[in-house]
Amino acid sequence: MNNFEYARAVDVADAVRLIAGDPKAKFIAGGTNLIDLMKEDVERPAKLIDISRLPLTKVEEIAGGGVRIGALVPNSDLAYHPLIAARYPLLASAILAGASQQLRNMASTGGNLLQRTRCAYFYDTVTPCNKREAGSGCSAINGLNRGHAILGTSAACIATHPSDMCVALAALDAKVHVTGVSGERVIAFADFHRLPGDTPHLDTNLRPDEIVTEVELPAKGFAANYSYLKIRDRLSYAFALVSIAAAMTLDGNTIKEARLALGGVAHKPWRNTAAEAALAGRAPDGTAFAQAADLLLRDAKSYAHNGFKINLAHRGIVRALTQTAQATPQSQSVKKIR
Ligand SMILES: Cc1cc2nc3c(=O)[nH]c(=O)nc-3n(C[C@H](O)[C@H](O)[C@H](O)COP(=O)(O)OP(=O)(O)OC[C@H]3O[C@@H](n4cnc5c(N)ncnc54)[C@H](O)[C@@H]3O)c2cc1C
Ligand code: SF4
């Protein structure tokens, strides 16, 4: 174990001051990802800044009908919150598809956004990995890449983003509120996570001195027609091979608006607005859904062991959209379970 200092931030301004003062410091919230990475010697922060007691624990309605979620709201509290269960069941379903109850009790909203890839080479410090050590190479491209990305990859990295919650947040068009030395700013969810390009060590566009304070959901929650379909090697406690967040509004037998985002296929939650636009105005049938899947996967590229993901994603998209149109989601919302 490497030595590190510990400091507890008393408020957001203090957290920003502490992180800005030490480029080797890291925030710790629930610790469910960071502590594992420290134990494996992947992350070596010189200082941990504990933000777990900051007053960022509210889920509240805002003007215009949207909802703001504090960055320290635990994943469990968020999934079971009455506002989320009733109005954003897609988000509740995605959260409950992830990790285990104990982990969800500890894991925070902000930490879920910032969790790091589960690429096995990233965790294995004796193998080259451009994300862990810039310029060292990528062991996955010609290695065991069954779980790796099929969209938006680069010659430097083919890792996937592991979050379930973030796939729903991408489909719902969430915004991320952050605070840094130069003040507050709001980042559209689509711009929060990055593709690997030639800088795979950067997962997000959060600046080094910034803290995530809130996630904002717009008023539209697609509570009637949604589905979060997660396909994994075992039924629980496993990351997605492919996951699909689908939502739509219907006018009789016509799709008015559709949302479609995938997890387990790219370095960031993969929302495709062209496929969504192609669904608008169509009847909600298998032909329209297959065409949307074709469009979304048009540029998919596989490696030695993950070619199955393209077909799996195609079938998953059609299935999730069918469940969405029929209002028979893969997982019932918390409200319906109760
Ligand atoms: C065995 C296991 C199985 C799992 N399965 C799943 C799964 O199926 N699906 C899924 O989605 N997730 C899964 N997870 C991941 C889990 O959801 C994340 O570990 C968790 O969400 C991280 O939240 P945290 O608060 O514990 O973050 P921490 O570990 O405290 O922090 C993670 C990172 O976020 C940074 N950070 C935290 N909060 C902030 C903030 N407010 N602003 C800026 N930076 C911040 C930290 O500096 C750190 O770099 C699993 C985890 C484990 C251990
Ligand atoms: S895919 Fe990315 S995280 Fe995995 S070994 Fe290659 S560079 Fe590292």
Side-chain angles (χ1 to χ4, degrees):
M1 193 75 184
N2 296 303
N3 286 329
F4 59 86
E5 287 177 46
Y6 172 87
R8 183 179 292 155
V10 296
D11 54 26
V12 169
D14 190 37
V16 169
R17 184 185 60 74
L18 286 166
I19 199 99
D22 188 343
K24 290 191 174 160
K26 291 220 84 155
F27 291 131
I28 184 161
T32 60
N33 189 214
L34 184 56
I35 295 291
D36 278 356
L37 290 165
M38 288 170 68
K39 284 187 195 160
E40 300 288 342
D41 206 24
V42 177
E43 301 256 23
R44 300 179 193 102
K47 182 189 273 182
L48 286 185
I49 301 166
D50 185 350
I51 56 169
S52 64
R53 299 188 195 188
L54 297 187
L56 301 171
T57 52
K58 283 195 186 138
V59 178
E60 54 192 350
E61 201 162 4
I62 51 172
V67 168
R68 271 199 198 163
I69 303 159
L72 288 162
V73 176
N75 288 181
S76 301
D77 290 14
L78 185 57
Y80 292 112
H81 193 283
L83 264 180
I84 303 300
R87 289 181 39 197
Y88 305 93
L90 174 63
L91 177 58
S93 305
I95 294 170
L96 294 176
S100 65
Q101 185 63 51
Q102 289 89 342
L103 281 161
R104 294 192 297 265
N105 289 344
M106 284 302 292
S108 66
T109 301
N112 195 304
L113 262 59
L114 273 298
Q115 64 174 294
R116 307 213 68 192
T117 184
R118 293 282 159 170
C119 171
Y121 299 107
F122 176 67
Y123 275 80
D124 181 357
T125 52
V126 299
T127 58
C129 169
N130 287 323
K131 186 179 279 300
R132 181 172 21 82
E133 196 180 330
S136 62
C138 172
S139 298
I141 287 179
N142 295 311
L144 295 172
N145 45 41
R146 181 172 175 273
H148 287 73
I150 52 172
L151 288 160
T153 55
S154 76
C157 180
I158 60 170
T160 58
H161 191 265
S163 170
D164 290 293
M165 185 179 92
C166 290
V167 186
L169 290 176
L172 290 168
D173 223 3
K175 291 178 186 154
V176 185
H177 290 244
V178 307
T179 301
V181 169
S182 49
E184 297 176 17
R185 65 185 180 118
V186 181
I187 308 172
F189 208 78
D191 299 328
F192 186 76
H193 296 99
R194 294 168 62 97
L195 288 179
D198 56 7
T199 53
H201 58 291
L202 299 175
D203 293 339
T204 71
N205 287 315
L206 194 70
R207 296 177 191 140
D209 62 281
E210 286 178 326
I211 182 172
V212 173
T213 53
E214 286 168 348
V215 171
E216 180 183 333
L217 296 173
K220 203 182 285 179
F222 298 92
N225 294 90
Y226 72 92
S227 188
Y228 187 72
L229 173 61
K230 178 176 180 179
I231 302 161
R232 45 190 153 170
D233 284 331
R234 353 175 252 278
L235 204 51
S236 73
Y237 211 44
F239 291 90
L241 289 168
V242 173
S243 68
I244 300 105
M248 61 180 71
T249 48
L250 291 161
D251 185 2
N253 199 36
T254 304
I255 300 170
K256 272 175 72 181
E257 185 182 359
R259 297 286 174 85
L260 192 55
L262 266 61
V265 298
H267 199 258
K268 61 189 281 185
W270 192 265
R271 183 172 168 200
N272 188 302
T273 49
E276 292 172 0
L279 285 164
R282 302 282 303 269
D285 58 25
T287 308
F289 299 159
Q291 285 170 358
D294 288 343
L295 199 54
L296 190 148
L297 295 164
R298 194 175 45 186
D299 299 322
K301 175 184 168 193
S302 62
Y303 297 82
H305 308 290
N306 69 350
F308 74 97
K309 277 197 178 188
I310 298 178
N311 188 21
L312 189 64
H314 197 283
R315 288 187 289 121
I317 291 168
V318 173
R319 182 168 166 184
L321 286 169
T322 305
Q323 292 171 334
T324 299
Q326 294 176 352
T328 53
Q330 177 70 20
S331 309
Q332 292 291 302
S333 76
V334 178
K335 192 175 139 231
K336 283 179 183 159
I337 291 168
R338 281 173 171 170

